[in-house]
Amino acid sequence: MAPKISLFVSVFFFYFVSLHADTLQTYIVQLHPHGLATSLFTSKLHWHLSFIEQTISSDEDPSSRLLYSYHSAMEGFAAELSQSELEYLQTFPGVIAIRPDRSFQLQTTYSYKFLGQNQPTSGGAWYSSHFGYGAIIGVLDTGVWPESPSFDDQGMPPVPKKWRGICQEGENFNASNCNKKLIGARFFARGHRVASKSSSRNFIQQYVSPRDSQGHGTHTASTAAGASVPMASVFGNGAGVARGMAPGAHVAVYKVCWFSGCYSSDILAAMDVAIIDGVDVLSLSLGGFPLPLFDDSIAIGSFRAMEQGISVVCAAGNNGPLQNSVANEAPWIATVGASTLDRSFPATVRMGDGGLLYGESMYPGNQLSNLQKELELVYVTSGDDRESEFCLRGSLPKEKVRGKLVVCDRGINGRAEKGEVVKEAGGAAMILANTVINLEEDSVDVHVLPATAIGFAEAVRLKAYINNTKRAKAQIIFGGTVTGRSEAPAVAQFSARGPSLYCPTILKPDVIAPGVNIIAAWPQNLGPSSLPEDSRRVNFTVMSGTSMACPHVSGIAALIHSAHPKWTPAAIKSALMTTADTNDHFGKPIMDRNKPAGVFAIGAGHINPERAINPGLIYDITPDEYITHLCTLGYTKSEILAITHRNLSCQEILRMNRGFSLNYPSISVIFKNGKTIKMTRRRLTNVGSPNSIYTLEVMAPKGVQVRVKPQRLIFKKINQSLNYKIWFISMNRSPGKDQMSFAHGHLTWVHSGNNSFYRVRSPISVTWK
């Protein structure tokens, strides 16, 4: 994995990437913001080149090593560097840190209705924000397919005057591909090219331009701000009007992801120019495993973006349900987990003994719902290597599977790829069986042959039937599209979980949003399964992941920005969090598999755009307060400089801010070393009604007493701020050595009157160490 990229105007980063894959590597070098007088050079580019010139041999052109020169998100550059050159550069005065390039992975119609945005009613999110008109969402991903109807600009307002971006030309892409919807497009491939020099993978054809070769970026961009497209479907499945969360917002695409991954140097370069271009929201459906903030390029870059008033929304990652797996943990980032919709695509297996197994699939659509006949079942086992069970390429003997319904275990290779393997071996249909790792996760695919996916419990029943029946048979019955019957939202099993590994005093993820079986725009160079063998072509397809959840929140953040253009990123995130739902559409608690979801799975809850547009109260945070928070956590001066680009003394900051608490919308309390009392402070700002009184509701975490003063907040005017204090008294004994225990609750401020009603809810997480 390559390091995440940072954006900072005052910190200096140097990326050094290799000319010779065996000796050179890409590095980020961060310098003290005031380490050298740049006035000695005619430009910052020349200043950056001077560092390379002093590091490499005299007969080599320093510009041949340079990848990027950064100016906005941070001060520095990317370039190629050998180990000895790296060690020499580390001795230069003013060098704060040097980091290797890292690779991040992508975290992969109806959802706007599910979120209550069906009609632009008075006071609703669409009405209040005029569909997000004027807002600009920057999407860092795999690029865009500009001809998609989701990027049609009919009815769009003019390009905002503040926009300074471009439509970068390249392979099969020119300036005319941009319009009033897709107002900008760029691509960043230098880090990818250097990293790919040593790759043993076969070369895959991809567009050297902003044009999308993979589909992921087209899908996420249209989810955030796609135009309304009537009669959208995937072969008849999920039919309806497709539109993004902010259909009136503008989109700027920054292609940073390639088939080999998404590299820090490219991500940082994109963030660098996006800040200058004038985006209002940055959407990054990228991630990996958690990193310390001072070593996390996305965290560093996002701090600089936040300082410029840009909301940064990131995927929480797909490493759930593992504890501590949540990525993009920085408190100034909105971190989004994934949830389910109440829409399903039933494809039931009827076994020869009459038993029914519930499954889901998007093949073949409604038109062939009852044409799949009963077939002989086969589950090919091959001993210790288990390749046949997983239907890996070349593992299925044609004589065993020809004309049969083949069972494939999930894992190792892609779900849709297994169907292609079965098809090439002569199989007639497939049942994709979840294992103990996936349990009941129900992500669907647009398979290349008749197929369905079943959960782990159903897979156990199916295999028992096969093992106990001489000639097992089964039939797949396709049921089209069903909405409104399932309990939703629920937490997606793959959605990464807290608590935050490196920032446990901040509850992450912040919220969850639809991320399972999301239908959105798709390019015309790929079939809906993404497989190169798939010759079918569609305008829309289905994908799952926190990658899909992230742009939902990015779009809603754009709506809030459009309705409240002076709000800070922290205010926008507060509105998203304090209005989030903790119950599903049946009024029952949101579930995480077979139990009510905890705060480490849902954070503040499931996004509710209709309430977020008018939250009543907000918890605002200034950039300086984030820095004070880092000081309270014991970050060193050099670490804070690396993160914030500010050279400050924590000793002085803490002396001036005794008893400081970060004004975060959620509350995380940690009892350790035998302490039993904790006090924290919060500050609420009235953005609702003047002359309003808020009263307190508290559900204390188990084993904790909670006391709040005052218990009423009386706001006389708009934008007035009031403080309150919370004391947490532990009634539990500390757990044993090297053990931890958790509890959660919530604190809610309620206002009812003057034709307005607000519930401003903060989840509470308590940890005993």
Side-chain angles (χ1 to χ4, degrees), residues 490-530:
V491 180
Q493 180 173 311
F494 58 76
S495 185
R497 307 300 206 272
S500 173
L501 185 62
Y502 292 105
C503 307
T505 58
I506 299 296
L507 177 59
K508 291 285 182 171
D510 292 306
V511 291
I512 58 173
V516 177
N517 302 335
I518 304 302
I519 295 175
W522 195 245
Q524 287 292 302
N525 68 315
L526 287 172
S529 67
S530 297

Side-chain angles (χ1 to χ4, degrees), residues 424-690:
E424 290 177 357
M430 177 182 71
I431 298 175
L432 183 62
N434 278 9
T435 66
V436 68
I437 296 174
N438 314 108
L439 295 176
E440 307 311 311
E441 184 187 314
D442 58 352
S443 299
V444 304
D445 300 279
V446 190
H447 290 287
V448 296
L449 81 174
T452 187
I454 61 175
F456 177 62
E458 305 285 59
V460 171
R461 287 181 57 200
L462 175 66
K463 291 172 185 177
Y465 166 67
I466 293 173
N467 291 335
N468 295 318
T469 306
K470 187 174 182 180
R471 194 179 179 199
K473 291 187 176 183
Q475 174 187 9
I476 302 175
I477 304 172
F478 296 96
T481 304
V482 176
T483 59
R485 296 185 189 176
S486 56
E487 294 182 351
V491 180
Q493 180 173 311
F494 58 76
S495 185
R497 307 300 206 272
S500 173
L501 185 62
Y502 292 105
C503 307
T505 58
I506 299 296
L507 177 59
K508 291 285 182 171
D510 292 306
V511 291
I512 58 173
V516 177
N517 302 335
I518 304 302
I519 295 175
W522 195 245
Q524 287 292 302
N525 68 315
L526 287 172
S529 67
S530 297
L531 296 171
E533 300 90 348
D534 190 353
S535 61
R536 300 171 297 175
R537 293 295 180 260
V538 294
N539 282 323
F540 297 89
T541 198
V542 64
M543 297 185 80
S544 297
T546 53
S547 277
M548 284 62 252
C550 171
H552 279 87
V553 175
S554 302
I556 297 170
L559 295 179
I560 299 173
H561 174 82
S562 185
H564 309 285
K566 294 185 179 180
W567 281 14
T568 66
I572 291 173
K573 183 163 72 167
S574 172
L576 291 165
M577 293 175 65
T578 61
T579 59
D581 295 325
T582 56
N583 290 334
D584 64 23
H585 285 192
F586 289 97
K588 299 177 181 178
I590 292 174
M591 298 298 288
D592 180 6
R593 290 167 288 176
N594 57 356
K595 64 182 186 300
V599 293
F600 297 141
I602 66 172
H606 193 269
I607 53 167
N608 183 328
E610 296 300 290
R611 291 185 58 213
I613 205 76
N614 183 19
L617 305 175
I618 55 170
Y619 293 91
D620 208 353
I621 306 174
T622 67
D624 287 346
E625 287 174 320
Y626 286 120
I627 294 172
T628 304
H629 173 68
L630 296 176
C631 286
T632 65
L633 298 179
Y635 279 74
T636 66
K637 185 176 182 178
S638 62
E639 289 169 347
I640 292 176
L641 178 59
I643 297 167
T644 69
H645 210 192
R646 301 195 194 183
N647 189 22
L648 302 167
S649 167
C650 273
Q651 186 176 1
E652 179 65 18
I653 289 174
L654 293 176
R655 186 183 67 81
M656 300 287 292
N657 295 274
R658 296 186 185 278
F660 173 83
S661 301
L662 185 66
N663 198 42
Y664 210 72
S666 59
I667 302 168
S668 184
V669 180
I670 300 175
F671 290 107
K672 58 183 179 180
N673 301 326
K675 291 187 177 181
T676 58
I677 299 177
K678 288 275 187 176
M679 189 274 286
T680 189
R681 295 178 171 88
R682 289 295 188 268
R683 178 185 70 254
L684 280 164
T685 300
N686 182 25
V687 294
S689 306

Side-chain angles (χ1 to χ4, degrees), residues 215-255:
H216 192 278
T218 300
H219 199 282
T220 56
S222 66
T223 300
S228 295
V229 182
M231 301 175 63
S233 73
V234 185
F235 298 125
N237 291 293
V241 178
R243 56 167 62 97
M245 298 310 300
H250 306 279
V251 176
V253 166
Y254 301 86
K255 182 175 178 178

Side-chain angles (χ1 to χ4, degrees), residues 378-389 396-397 400 467:
V378 59
Y379 178 51
V380 182
T381 57
S382 57
D384 295 336
D385 60 13
R386 300 188 62 197
E387 287 190 357
S388 298
E389 289 100 311
L396 296 179
K400 290 187 177 182
N467 291 335

